[in-house]
Amino acid sequence: MSSKHLRVLLALVLVVLLAGCSAAGSIEMTAVGDDDDLATEASRPLPSDPDDEDRVLIRNAVENGSATTNDTRPPVDADGKPFAVDGRYYDLSVASVDQHTEVTVSLEIDYNGTTDGSAVAYEDLSSADRSLVDQLLPPETDHRSDGYDMGVTQRYDDSEVESSVLLSGEYEALEYGGERYPIRAESRDVTVTTYRYTAQEVASSSGEYADSIRDRYLFTLSGLSDAERDVVQEATSDRYYAESSNDDAFESVLNRFFEHDAVVRNEYRGEWIVRYEGEIYWAELDYEGF
């Protein structure tokens, strides 16, 4: 079974700090006159961890033509930029080929709480239970709050559900490393889909890939007004931020980009290749506020 572990961190302070700090839009332009620079901007690297499940999935698809994985959602975005693998570039496509039901187990832990309820020793847990607990213990930080500090989830197959001690409902605490921690375990059924990823090579080198996307997407930005030029000039040296949707100069530049095909684009952001004053740039535009 292929499973992904999700750590749920309580970062409300960070969310509050970030709220209100976003601009209505922005543009950043990075010079990419070199083939390698352009190919790097226009592709996605593999995750660096050799054991990362997404990395293994992508490599298997590239090496074998296709690969399958089980998950509650497609783990790798197949609609994004191609992946760079060993100097070659590959597009991914994904299809749903099967579905079945599994159980998602959620475990929460209170690092500094107490309970008189019955406890189970870590050594008496099933292998699936221990895998879940290993994500929480030993504590990675001394930062603890009242109540449950952290929670993780993991999918169990039928045999793992049957052998689970945590799901028996008999225990309110866990004994680990000489300490006793209050815990709370819950389960729910989830639909798991078998996804088949297919890889197709789009270029055998950075030069070939750079040539192909320049031929398809490159356009020239010219004839700018003074206000538009101010936006673009700042974008080439740093990043230009539109503080509100009333930024007419930014919106005008944005519309110029919208007249041309983007390498990737959605309703919130897009990436283009543009020539400006004789230099080729990779342009990243955010326009959620527009």
Side-chain angles (χ1 to χ4, degrees):
M1 179 183 74
S2 172
S3 65
K4 284 200 168 247
H5 302 153
L6 174 62
R7 291 199 170 214
V8 181
L9 301 177
L10 301 179
L12 296 178
V13 174
L14 179 60
V15 172
V16 171
L17 289 174
L18 291 176
C21 294
S22 59
S26 67
I27 175 174
E28 182 177 26
M29 294 169 56
T30 304
V32 288
D34 181 83
D35 285 349
D36 288 341
D37 291 340
L38 177 54
T40 296
E41 294 288 351
S43 64
R44 290 179 282 177
L46 291 177
S48 58
D49 182 357
D51 297 323
D52 184 275
E53 293 181 3
D54 289 353
R55 177 187 175 97
V56 173
L57 174 64
I58 297 165
R59 271 207 168 276
N60 285 341
V62 167
E63 293 171 2
N64 302 310
S66 66
T68 59
T69 187
N70 295 319
D71 213 323
T72 55
R73 67 179 69 181
V76 177
D77 180 11
D79 294 328
K81 294 180 286 189
F83 282 94
V85 182
D86 299 333
R88 295 174 179 267
Y89 299 83
Y90 299 86
D91 274 335
L92 291 184
S93 60
V94 61
S96 304
V97 296
D98 195 13
Q99 286 187 330
H100 63 280
T101 299
E102 291 184 13
V103 172
T104 292
V105 180
S106 300
L107 178 66
E108 293 178 289
I109 191 166
D110 187 347
Y111 290 125
N112 59 343
T114 59
T115 178
D116 295 327
S118 57
V120 59
Y122 173 84
E123 293 75 15
D124 294 332
L125 297 176
S126 68
S127 60
D129 288 345
R130 288 196 297 271
S131 176
L132 194 60
V133 171
D134 287 345
Q135 301 174 66
L136 297 172
L137 292 171
E140 294 182 356
T141 175
D142 291 332
H143 178 70
R144 304 176 184 186
S145 59
D146 292 336
Y148 291 100
D149 296 280
M150 186 178 292
V152 293
T153 63
Q154 181 173 299
R155 295 203 314 273
Y156 280 37
D157 61 24
D158 291 342
S159 64
E160 290 170 334
V161 171
E162 292 177 4
S163 62
S164 173
V165 179
L166 294 175
L167 293 180
S168 67
E170 300 178 19
Y171 303 102
E172 299 176 13
L174 174 68
E175 294 176 350
Y176 180 96
E179 300 287 339
R180 180 184 173 99
Y181 300 97
I183 57 171
R184 179 168 60 195
E186 298 177 343
S187 66
R188 65 183 179 89
D189 289 344
V190 293
T191 299
V192 177
T193 301
T194 300
Y195 295 101
R196 176 176 290 122
Y197 281 85
T198 302
Q200 180 177 7
E201 183 178 313
V202 295
S204 61
S205 68
S206 61
E208 180 184 345
Y209 183 46
D211 285 342
S212 68
I213 57 179
R214 273 193 296 260
D215 290 343
R216 181 174 179 182
Y217 297 108
L218 179 63
F219 71 96
T220 298
L221 195 60
S222 61
L224 303 179
S225 67
D226 289 344
E228 292 171 334
R229 185 176 299 278
D230 289 341
V231 171
V232 174
Q233 284 294 135
E234 186 168 338
T236 61
S237 59
D238 188 8
R239 177 182 283 268
Y240 178 88
Y241 291 95
E243 299 301 336
S244 76
S245 59
N246 294 323
D247 190 327
D248 293 336
F250 175 82
E251 186 171 12
S252 180
V253 171
L254 181 63
N255 288 332
R256 285 179 176 268
F257 278 85
F258 282 171
E259 293 174 356
H260 305 275
D261 290 338
V263 180
V264 289
R265 177 184 168 184
N266 57 36
E267 58 183 318
Y268 304 113
R269 65 183 309 276
E271 299 174 63
W272 283 261
I273 306 172
V274 59
R275 180 183 285 108
Y276 173 67
E277 294 189 343
E279 186 83 48
I280 296 178
Y281 293 91
W282 182 262
E284 298 181 3
L285 282 80
D286 293 303
Y287 39 80
E288 184 173 0
F290 287 81

